[in-house]
Amino acid sequence: MISILVVDDKPCRYSKLMSRVSPQILPQDSISFRSNIKDAIEAMENKFFDLLVVDMMLPDSAWEAPGASGGATLLEAININSGIHRPRYIVGITSAEQDDPKVVSSFSRTAWCLLRDLPGENSWLERMCNLIEYITETQENKINPGYIKDICIVTALRTPEFAAIKSLPVDWSEDLQLDSNTFVNETTIESGDTKLTVVAASCSKMGTVEAALLSSKLIQRYRPRLLVMTGICAGVPGKTNIGDVIVANPTWDWQSVKISKEPGKKTEILPALDFISAGREVLNRLALLAEDHQFLNKVKQQWMGESPPTTLQILAGPMASGSVLVADGETIQRVKETQSKDLLGLEMEAYAIYAAARVSNTPKPVALAMKSVCDFGNYLKDDRFQKYAAYTSAMCFYEFVKRFGSDLKVLIR
């Protein structure tokens, strides 16, 4: 809600204005009145006002007569008094046909507006109403901002995951500083007749904490429609192959547990899981992409390095996040047996991405994690197929945006 301060020793001048804007545009208590310079300065020292409306003939105090340049004196005080909360907009009101030189000087060297209240004319009233409506609308947009960017991409590792994103066939910007610790790159991706704006960033290291912090920064700054994580993960043997892209639906923290012990009994460690699903609007379209075997074969064939003998797939299903790097072969099976029999993979960040989107302010982004299998979380774990997995993840994301990005821009509003 905006706040307005009117400084005038004849408040009856604003009766028509009040009837026009209150309560249709804003509550009556949003407008404060003061009759002299001293009281106006005190009001602005105690509170910020979006709009100051000031008569040019004002007394210094409640006990003195108005002066022809009293309003100009108040405006000068606003400029030099560091204790005053300076209003966002300032409008002067005058009934004089010939202005005091001090008044002329105050408005000739600033962006402030001087309106004339002349007999038989109401143009100043219309302009004031229009200004108040404008300030109110822009304030509402600030409280409930719209989307700024279409897509924000997050990766856990700069190599090979962010490198795979940077290798997509688009023109990336130079490194842009988001804050003292974070740099991003920007580009656009065409989807039909629509250009989608894209921002990409990489975490400083792996893990849910880093991913959640970076995601929150990006959401706060860019308000994306879609928050996407690409990269690599460990797959469940027998259900996935090297290079397969897993779409996390749902994801959760597999290490979240409840530890309890009743008297005379053993300590129990039970899962305390919070499942978060991907948006239906993205899952339905990814299912269509998963059926395009010609595209998937082409992605595999275009890879210049070593690739596995299996066919490339896109699979949607449970993928759990944790804060440890798993390479024992037992953990992934234990999570499958105790938490989700349909588990497809383990990794370290997807849950953080989904959680950051869920708790963000409106408009919320739709979260999507699509990571490719680079190993099976066992003693054979190595870096052999990490670049290939990062590549398949990035390419499937890119094709998904090209095909369905224009749809999503309409759907996610």
Side-chain angles (χ1 to χ4, degrees):
M1 184 176 67
I2 71 169
S3 57
I4 300 172
L5 175 63
V6 177
V7 187
D8 198 323
D9 62 340
K10 298 181 181 67
C12 60
R13 170 188 282 173
Y14 304 91
S15 58
K16 288 185 179 179
L17 177 67
M18 292 296 293
S19 64
R20 289 276 297 273
V21 301
S22 177
Q24 296 91 335
I25 299 175
L26 72 167
Q28 186 170 335
D29 59 7
S30 298
I31 304 178
S32 303
F33 283 88
R34 298 293 187 274
S35 63
N36 58 80
I37 296 172
K38 181 176 179 294
D39 290 347
I41 291 175
E42 183 179 353
M44 288 185 285
E45 286 176 338
N46 293 323
K47 181 179 178 180
F48 169 78
F49 292 93
D50 296 281
L51 171 62
L52 169 66
V53 181
V54 54
D55 182 23
M56 290 299 99
M57 286 200 61
L58 283 178
D60 286 340
S61 68
W63 317 110
E64 298 180 55
S69 59
T73 300
L74 176 58
L75 298 179
E76 185 178 341
I78 291 173
N79 274 330
I80 64 175
N81 188 339
S82 61
I84 288 178
H85 300 288
R86 295 181 179 180
R88 183 170 289 116
Y89 300 92
I90 296 178
V91 175
I93 299 287
T94 182
S95 300
E97 294 186 6
Q98 196 123 16
D99 295 326
D100 183 281
K102 191 174 180 181
V103 172
V104 174
S105 175
S106 295
F107 287 92
S108 63
R109 51 190 172 83
T110 67
W112 303 336
C113 176
L114 180 62
L115 302 180
R116 298 190 182 278
D117 177 19
L118 300 177
E121 294 187 12
N122 286 320
S123 60
W124 77 273
L125 178 62
E126 292 297 327
R127 292 180 68 182
M128 282 294 300
C129 288
N130 292 337
L131 176 59
I132 292 171
E133 287 184 10
Y134 173 79
I135 298 172
T136 303
E137 290 173 1
T138 54
Q139 182 72 4
E140 288 175 353
N141 290 337
K142 184 178 179 181
I143 295 171
N144 298 300
Y147 293 109
I148 299 174
K149 297 291 185 180
D150 294 309
I151 302 168
C152 280
I153 306 168
V154 178
T155 69
L157 297 169
R158 197 152 189 89
T159 303
E161 296 171 311
F162 194 69
I165 289 294
K166 290 290 293 293
S167 296
L168 291 174
V170 295
D171 294 325
W172 288 102
S173 71
E174 60 185 11
D175 292 338
L176 304 173
Q177 192 165 356
L178 175 62
D179 58 29
S180 60
N181 300 310
T182 309
F183 289 85
V184 303
N185 299 95
E186 297 186 3
T187 190
T188 58
I189 298 177
E190 293 188 5
S191 175
D193 296 331
T194 304
K195 277 191 175 182
L196 302 172
T197 53
V198 181
V199 178
S202 177
C203 298
S204 57
K205 61 181 181 179
M206 296 185 296
T208 53
V209 173
E210 291 289 334
L213 291 173
L214 178 57
S215 297
S216 296
K217 284 184 184 181
L218 294 174
I219 293 171
Q220 181 68 25
R221 172 62 180 84
Y222 297 108
R223 297 287 174 194
R225 299 174 193 276
L226 197 61
L227 179 66
V228 181
M229 171 161 260
T230 61
I232 60 179
C233 67
V236 174
K239 288 197 169 188
T240 63
N241 298 314
I242 296 295
D244 285 354
V245 179
I246 300 176
V247 178
N249 183 53
T251 185
W252 68 98
D253 180 358
W254 65 265
Q255 293 176 295
S256 180
V257 297
K258 175 185 177 182
I259 302 176
S260 64
K261 181 178 181 180
E262 296 182 14
K265 295 185 179 181
K266 292 183 178 180
T267 299
E268 285 190 305
I269 302 177
L270 302 173
L273 308 179
D274 172 35
F275 295 92
I276 310 178
S277 298
R280 182 56 54 186
E281 53 269 81
V282 297
L283 291 173
N284 289 339
R285 288 161 176 78
L286 279 164
L288 297 176
L289 184 61
E291 294 171 358
D292 190 342
H293 302 294
Q294 184 176 356
F295 159 71
L296 294 170
N297 289 336
K298 183 179 178 181
V299 169
K300 182 179 178 182
Q301 290 168 5
Q302 289 181 338
W303 175 244
M304 302 300 291
E306 181 183 6
S307 63
T310 52
T311 302
L312 179 61
Q313 305 176 91
I314 297 176
L315 306 169
M319 182 161 66
S321 299
S323 59
V324 296
L325 197 62
V326 174
D328 62 350
E330 298 176 357
T331 300
I332 197 166
Q333 290 299 328
R334 185 169 64 252
V335 174
K336 176 177 176 291
E337 292 168 4
T338 61
Q339 298 184 9
S340 175
K341 62 182 179 59
D342 298 317
L343 182 73
L344 294 179
L346 285 187
E347 49 77 68
M348 300 177 69
E349 297 88 15
Y351 175 74
I353 302 296
Y354 285 38
R358 182 176 64 180
V359 302
S360 67
N361 196 7
T362 55
K364 296 179 184 294
V366 172
L368 172 65
M370 43 193 311
K371 291 192 168 187
S372 296
V373 176
C374 67
D375 59 58
F376 298 108
N378 54 26
Y379 70 96
L380 297 174
K381 178 181 178 67
D382 57 31
D383 299 343
R384 180 181 173 190
F385 289 112
Q386 283 190 357
K387 289 184 178 180
Y388 173 69
Y391 158 78
T392 61
S393 170
M395 290 301 295
C396 287
F397 156 75
Y398 179 59
E399 185 68 20
F400 169 69
V401 173
K402 287 200 302 177
R403 292 192 189 189
F404 305 112
S406 57
D407 289 353
L408 295 173
K409 188 161 186 173
V410 174
L411 289 171
I412 306 172
R413 303 184 73 86

